[in-house]
Amino acid sequence: YGDLDPYMPVFRTIRHLKRSKVLVVAMGPRGRETSARSFSEQFGTAMRFLTYDDLKAAFESADARQAQQAAEDFTRGALRVVEPKPKEVQDALRFYLGVAGLLRKEKANAITVDCFGGLLAGRMPAYPCIAWSKLNDAGMYGVCEGDIYSTMTQMLVTSHSGMPGFVSDPVFDLSRDEVIHAHCVAATKMKGIDGPASPYIIRNHLETNEGAVLQVLMPVGETVTVGVFSDPAKFLVSTAEVTGVVDSDRGCRSQIRTRVGDAKKMLAGYSGGLHRVIFYGDHVPAIERMGRLMGFQTVREM
């Protein structure tokens, strides 16, 4: 009977995806609606499209005094605050409280927002990055840029492993066989939602020089799994070793440097969109097992 043990978390994940609900907010939802429908058909996950007005209403419904207290607590927990003003940090925590209330109201456990589209249109009440970090630390799902593919990737692996996902923009360093992964949203509990938090610095958003985000100093010397759904029937995956934390303004705030087997080969065969999702630990065998039971192909990128 012990041979069945590895399958128990898979069965739990199958049920988790069927019972999950993702809220999607985007400037142009039409293309995303096709993706949402495809994932719903494949895994049973409910998808609901909301508007930026819904986000604004959620933000305004959150208590400003509670947000101020949360911001003060959050700031005390940081190594330091570099650029953001107290009001920007307070707005970020008020956004978190508002979104948490919205998720409860909608009976949802995941949200992804086209933040750049909303920011450019002046329709975002605050930067969502800290809110996403806090949701991911709690075992829920806050995902950048209205990216349904990364949301489903994170939902699959986090529900199975208990490891939050770090949605990243990869940068290839062919001279060192390394890939730098960077983004302005990162969980602090990358080694497990029940584990200790990594140190963090409160910064502004790199591309816009405003708002409040986290620069998380993630663990090094660890194996990570790098993956993403390229479509509901195909999961791209590889592993790497975290060799260091990068502190550079040439990229998003949270950055890790990873060693891969053949960066040149990986770059030549790169597909499936820009984003990849990082999870601490080697979860490839589990993902392959889930693919066999859930009907998607697992393709190794290395």
Side-chain angles (χ1 to χ4, degrees):
Y1 290 110
D3 292 342
L4 295 175
D5 289 350
Y7 291 90
M8 295 302 109
V10 177
F11 299 152
R12 186 181 64 240
T13 296
I14 292 171
R15 183 174 184 271
H16 180 74
L17 265 60
K18 287 182 177 180
R19 294 174 60 87
S20 289
K21 181 178 180 181
V22 181
L23 304 182
V24 185
V25 181
M27 290 297 293
R30 181 166 298 174
R32 289 179 173 88
E33 287 173 346
T34 301
S35 300
R37 185 165 52 251
S38 297
F39 277 108
S40 293
E41 292 171 353
Q42 178 79 9
F43 300 108
T45 309
M47 303 273 177
R48 175 165 163 76
F49 283 81
L50 299 180
T51 68
Y52 291 97
D53 288 339
D54 294 316
L55 288 181
K56 183 179 179 181
F59 175 83
E60 292 176 348
S61 71
D63 185 89
R65 287 175 295 181
Q66 185 182 357
Q68 181 178 357
Q69 182 62 56
E72 291 172 359
D73 294 341
F74 194 72
T75 299
R76 280 194 293 270
L79 292 177
R80 60 184 181 275
V81 180
V82 182
E83 301 91 356
K85 300 177 177 62
K87 177 66 163 57
E88 291 175 305
V89 181
Q90 182 178 334
D91 283 349
L93 270 297
R94 189 175 181 186
F95 186 89
Y96 164 67
L97 294 173
V99 166
L102 181 63
L103 289 169
R104 287 193 297 271
K105 176 184 174 183
E106 292 286 338
K107 297 181 179 177
N109 59 339
I111 182 168
T112 183
V113 175
D114 177 10
C115 45
F116 285 117
L119 289 166
L120 289 172
R123 302 188 66 185
M124 289 289 294
Y127 277 72
C129 310
I130 288 177
W132 293 175
S133 176
K134 289 181 71 64
L135 287 175
N136 293 337
D137 276 349
M140 300 178 75
Y141 311 98
V143 182
C144 315
E145 300 177 39
D147 186 347
I148 294 172
Y149 297 88
S150 292
T151 302
M152 293 301 299
T153 299
Q154 194 164 320
M155 191 174 291
L156 180 87
V157 182
T158 297
S159 63
H160 183 274
S161 67
M163 302 290 179
F166 170 47
V167 178
S168 83
D169 297 335
V171 178
F172 289 82
D173 186 343
L174 302 185
S175 67
R176 299 173 57 160
D177 260 340
E178 290 185 338
V179 180
I180 298 169
H181 291 278
H183 231 231
C184 283
V185 172
T188 67
K189 296 184 176 181
M190 291 299 298
K191 298 249 344 234
I193 58 179
D194 295 325
S198 295
Y200 62 89
I201 302 166
I202 301 177
R203 305 291 306 271
N204 64 9
H205 195 276
L206 185 75
E207 288 89 346
T208 61
N209 293 315
E210 61 184 17
V213 309
L214 292 189
Q215 179 180 354
V216 179
L217 309 182
M218 299 185 203
V220 301
E222 303 269 357
T223 297
V224 291
T225 300
V226 184
V228 75
F229 277 109
S230 61
D231 62 58
K234 182 184 291 186
F235 193 102
L236 307 177
V237 69
S238 63
T239 58
E241 180 189 355
V242 182
T243 59
V245 172
V246 181
D247 186 2
S248 169
D249 286 340
R250 298 178 64 186
C252 300
R253 292 304 187 192
S254 290
Q255 301 183 36
I256 53 173
R257 182 180 290 276
T258 66
R259 182 178 295 114
V260 298
D262 190 334
K264 187 174 183 179
K265 183 178 179 181
M266 179 177 278
L267 178 59
Y270 197 82
S271 64
L274 174 61
H275 284 162
R276 291 296 184 271
V277 190
I278 312 298
F279 303 91
Y280 273 70
D282 182 355
H283 307 291
V284 175
I287 293 168
E288 290 175 335
R289 188 179 297 120
M290 287 190 284
R292 289 193 295 272
L293 290 176
M294 300 170 73
F296 62 85
Q297 179 188 12
T298 304
V299 178
R300 300 221 183 194
E301 291 198 273
M302 286 293 294

